[in-house]
Amino acid sequence: MPSETKKNTFYITTAISYVNGPPHLGHAYESISTDVIARFKRLDGYDVMFLTGTDEHGQKVEKTAQKNGVDPKEFCDDIASKFKAMTDLLNISNDDFIRTTEPRHHDSVQEIWRRIQAKGDIYLGKYAGWYSVRDEAYFGEDELTKGEGDQKGKLFAPSGAEVEWVEEESYFFKLSEYGDKLLAHYEANPDFILPHYRRNEVVNFVKQGLTDLSVSRTTFDWGIPVPGDDKHIMYVWLDALTNYITATGFPDESSETYKKFWPADIHVIGKDIMRFHTIYWPAFLMSAGLPLPKRVFGHGFLNIEGQKMSKSLGNVITPQAMVDEFGLDQVRYFLMREVPYGNDGSFSKESMVNRINSDLANDLGNLGQRVLSMIAKNCDGKVPTPGALTPDDDVLIGAAKGALDEMRTAMEIQAIHRMLEAVWKVVGDANRYVDAQAPWALRKTDPDRMATVLYVLADVIRMLGIYVQSTVPASASKLLDQLAVAQDVRSFADIEAALVPGTELPKPQPVFPRYVEEDEAN
Ligand code: ME8
């Protein structure tokens, strides 16, 4: 049974990115969405550990470094620093950044290997089959397609990457013995794989029967050697997957972080690497006698205006370029709101501008701006003193408080888009309330009622500011600063608190600017 303290902890990870190229929008999407989930849990009172990092070993990285004429470590250092810079650029709140070339990881991977070996699940054999360096994965003949035209004679993996024939001595992991155990695990834990439509693919694959997995290679050097036989380099996925447990302090199982955070609550990954996380990883852990992560969430892929991002199409957008053009919180909000989390999504400038100008600038931004300027002008720049509340006031306040339950329910299954829909429903309610109550007209006729209306609105904006912190943290913070909400009363538990009448407010500033085309602006 998890202890009381364990119940309030939450350990979340992103995939670790290959360092064969700089970060792209897909990486940014994964980091932002994981960050939103992590921030949401912190706001909800959890002790969160959020891990991200880089996957630096393997043939793919070794080959790219060679192509660039640099030593692999030097190459990794350079690209890893770009991934770290991306976390800063995107205001990602990760608690740790792991690189698989770090000594802590080396020890952890070797220990996992020893445990799997001690269990009798590793044997020496000979591998003869197809391997895709780009996927760092083995494929059966029946999974491949033949090239046509000038690609004739070549064979391709389902991802489109070319495969090569590999024949060499290799250690094998007895994956074939884990099929039934995995199926039993999926059955007993129906939310182990989310969204559910991705779960079915995995279940069907396992039901077809698993073959033993080659877990070492002898034809390249860039990786972690097999303990006791360093002619063999461990399969990069065994190495990479282990990062999640390394960061908790493993193999030191008495360490505080290990006890507190392992097993992970959720691994957030893209749909292309489900098999590794929902079959190989749990099988390795079962073999090593270690607890399994509670959930693997497979998000969709982002494309650009309906087309796959690719260098050859020249439509690759860097996270930096996107932030420079639209603003960070705008990009974060757009990606989280526009794409139902789990599905594939498309970026288009038109839909981005639409979200920025309607949801952020008009709906939430204007609400804040209107209310705060009325308070500045008519209430002496102080939080107004409310009189008795009317049923309309109670309805709005009730809707604002009640949204939290809906948000939590959505986030239980990582439906980030639904969490935001619940917030924007309140934004809509608040805007309708302003129009219906018309506080500007009450100024002369009933100033006490005006004060009550503005108080109710300011307090609802406070709640909205608290709610949107996970998604647009810097803007939310600006909004809460304008309501003089202290730093230590910005969590979900503080929703029940209320603004203190008479509190002096700073001069209102717009928080969500409209997106204006450059030629319009000049
Ligand atoms: O797969 N849209 O690394 P990676 C959304 N090192 N997500 C995308 C994407 C896109 N267009 N392209 C990639 C690896 N991703 C391994 C992981 S974990 C132990 C090892 C996602 O750099 C992808 O699905 O190719 C993955 O979750 C992450 O970005 C890193 O991809």
Side-chain angles (χ1 to χ4, degrees):
M1 268 308 276
S3 66
E4 221 21 59
T5 48
K6 176 84 193 159
K7 225 171 74 191
N8 261 328
T9 63
F10 187 77
Y11 178 28
I12 184 166
T13 65
T14 63
I16 48 171
S17 308
Y18 285 127
V19 290
N20 61 310
H24 54 63
L25 200 57
H27 294 120
Y29 180 62
E30 185 168 298
S31 295
I32 291 170
S33 53
T34 311
D35 185 53
V36 172
I37 303 168
R39 285 179 185 268
F40 189 93
K41 283 290 182 185
R42 285 194 203 101
L43 288 165
D44 214 6
Y46 285 75
D47 183 355
V48 172
M49 169 159 164
F50 169 15
L51 176 72
T52 189
T54 41
D55 183 358
E56 305 191 0
H57 288 134
Q59 221 176 340
K60 165 149 120 174
V61 171
E62 189 185 67
K63 278 192 173 175
T64 317
Q66 275 163 2
K67 221 165 52 195
N68 285 272
V70 274
D71 154 74
K73 181 65 172 66
E74 215 177 290
F75 183 75
C76 291
D77 287 347
D78 177 42
I79 306 274
S81 73
K82 296 196 162 85
F83 275 93
K84 280 194 175 156
M86 181 186 75
T87 63
D88 293 338
L89 170 75
L90 301 176
N91 198 3
I92 303 300
S93 65
N94 56 301
D95 300 290
D96 195 355
F97 187 104
I98 190 165
R99 299 182 54 189
T100 53
T101 46
E102 290 172 55
R104 60 172 170 165
H105 184 61
H106 187 280
D107 297 348
S108 166
V109 173
Q110 290 207 325
E111 179 59 20
I112 290 271
W113 179 282
R114 282 189 211 100
R115 291 190 189 196
I116 296 177
Q117 195 167 37
K119 178 81 191 299
D121 282 340
I122 284 179
Y123 62 91
L124 190 61
K126 192 170 176 210
Y127 182 79
W130 297 101
Y131 192 75
S132 150
V133 175
R134 199 171 89 196
D135 299 309
E136 294 282 18
Y138 302 92
F139 291 95
E141 188 107 30
D142 53 343
E143 292 178 280
L144 306 177
T145 48
K146 290 194 173 107
E148 283 168 13
D150 55 359
Q151 305 282 25
K152 215 173 166 125
K154 294 180 177 171
L155 284 170
F156 296 90
S159 64
E162 190 179 348
V163 292
E164 59 189 45
W165 184 256
V166 171
E167 216 173 299
E168 62 189 64
E169 183 184 273
S170 170
Y171 284 98
F172 283 83
F173 170 69
K174 290 184 185 165
L175 184 64
S176 60
E177 294 189 359
Y178 284 87
D180 289 342
K181 293 183 189 107
L182 288 167
L183 289 171
H185 187 75
Y186 306 147
E187 182 81 25
N189 300 277
D191 294 337
F192 175 61
I193 304 169
L194 283 186
H196 285 134
Y197 49 86
R198 299 207 192 288
R199 176 178 188 270
N200 302 339
E201 285 168 32
V202 174
V203 170
N204 291 339
F205 184 82
V206 176
K207 277 190 176 155
Q208 284 168 19
L210 298 172
T211 51
D212 289 349
L213 181 69
S214 162
V215 284
S216 77
R217 300 284 306 272
T218 53
T219 42
F220 71 97
D221 296 326
W222 186 238
I224 299 180
V226 164
D229 190 356
D230 53 16
K231 167 167 116 230
H232 284 261
I233 297 296
M234 270 186 241
Y235 177 37
V236 66
W237 273 100
L238 172 54
D239 164 347
L241 288 160
T242 302
N243 90 85
Y244 301 129
I245 197 166
T246 301
T248 66
F250 185 83
D252 178 5
E253 286 165 90
S254 63
S255 80
E256 277 312 306
T257 41
Y258 178 83
K259 285 194 290 193
K260 215 159 129 185
F261 292 112
W262 192 259
D265 290 273
I266 173 162
H267 295 316
V268 173
I269 56 162
K271 63 177 185 179
D272 58 326
I273 54 175
M274 292 302 281
R275 208 182 273 191
F276 304 96
H277 284 80
T278 59
I279 301 175
Y280 298 176
W281 180 226
F284 294 151
L285 288 168
M286 282 176 184
S287 173
L290 292 163
L292 269 48
K294 292 177 211 153
R295 178 168 298 169
V296 175
F297 187 96
H299 62 72
F301 261 42
L302 271 194
N303 58 48
I304 308 288
E305 316 254 359
Q307 276 190 314
K308 195 174 162 192
M309 253 185 291
S310 90
K311 279 188 197 145
S312 53
L313 289 172
N315 64 352
V316 176
I317 306 185
T318 64
Q320 181 74 59
M322 189 158 276
V323 168
D324 288 348
E325 173 148 20
F326 301 105
L328 172 59
D329 280 349
Q330 284 72 6
V331 170
R332 289 177 59 111
Y333 175 77
F334 169 81
L335 293 175
M336 295 303 99
R337 181 72 196 273
E338 184 78 8
V339 186
Y341 197 47
N343 292 5
D344 288 341
S346 184
F347 165 79
S348 76
K349 180 167 176 179
E350 193 190 343
S351 45
M352 169 77 95
V353 170
N354 196 26
R355 288 283 179 195
I356 294 176
N357 288 347
S358 68
D359 299 14
L360 293 178
N362 279 356
D363 297 347
L364 181 56
N366 248 353
L367 174 71
Q369 183 68 11
R370 265 165 110 186
V371 171
L372 286 161
S373 3
M374 276 189 272
I375 292 177
K377 228 174 24 217
N378 304 311
C379 309
D380 217 11
K382 294 189 178 126
V383 173
T385 304
L389 299 186
T390 66
D392 285 347
D393 304 344
D394 287 332
V395 168
L396 180 64
I397 292 172
K401 288 188 177 167
L404 186 53
D405 273 347
E406 257 180 85
M407 292 162 64
R408 285 189 177 120
T409 307
M411 292 302 271
E412 280 300 308
I413 53 163
Q414 288 72 51
I416 302 175
H417 57 292
R418 292 226 317 269
M419 179 272 284
L420 289 171
E421 270 163 36
V423 178
W424 256 259
K425 219 158 56 189
V426 180
V427 173
D429 292 343
N431 275 314
R432 278 185 294 276
Y433 172 94
V434 185
D435 292 340
Q437 302 292 330
W440 51 89
L442 293 168
R443 193 163 66 95
K444 292 227 168 72
T445 57
D446 190 349
D448 286 348
R449 178 64 195 152
M450 176 197 71
T452 306
V453 168
L454 290 178
Y455 178 84
V456 168
L457 282 164
D459 203 41
V460 167
I461 294 168
R462 174 188 68 91
M463 294 185 224
L464 291 168
I466 289 177
Y467 291 158
V468 298
Q469 288 174 102
S470 64
T471 312
V472 290
S475 310
S477 170
K478 262 201 211 160
L479 191 60
L480 292 168
D481 287 348
Q482 297 195 39
L483 287 163
V485 177
Q487 290 293 339
D488 60 352
V489 286
R490 294 183 175 190
S491 73
F492 294 158
D494 301 306
I495 286 296
E496 290 300 330
L499 287 174
V500 179
T503 308
E504 191 103 32
L505 299 178
K507 198 168 166 291
Q509 307 275 342
V511 175
F512 294 108
R514 286 184 68 77
Y515 179 87
V516 186
E517 287 291 349
E518 254 179 40
D519 47 350
E520 281 177 51
N522 296 328

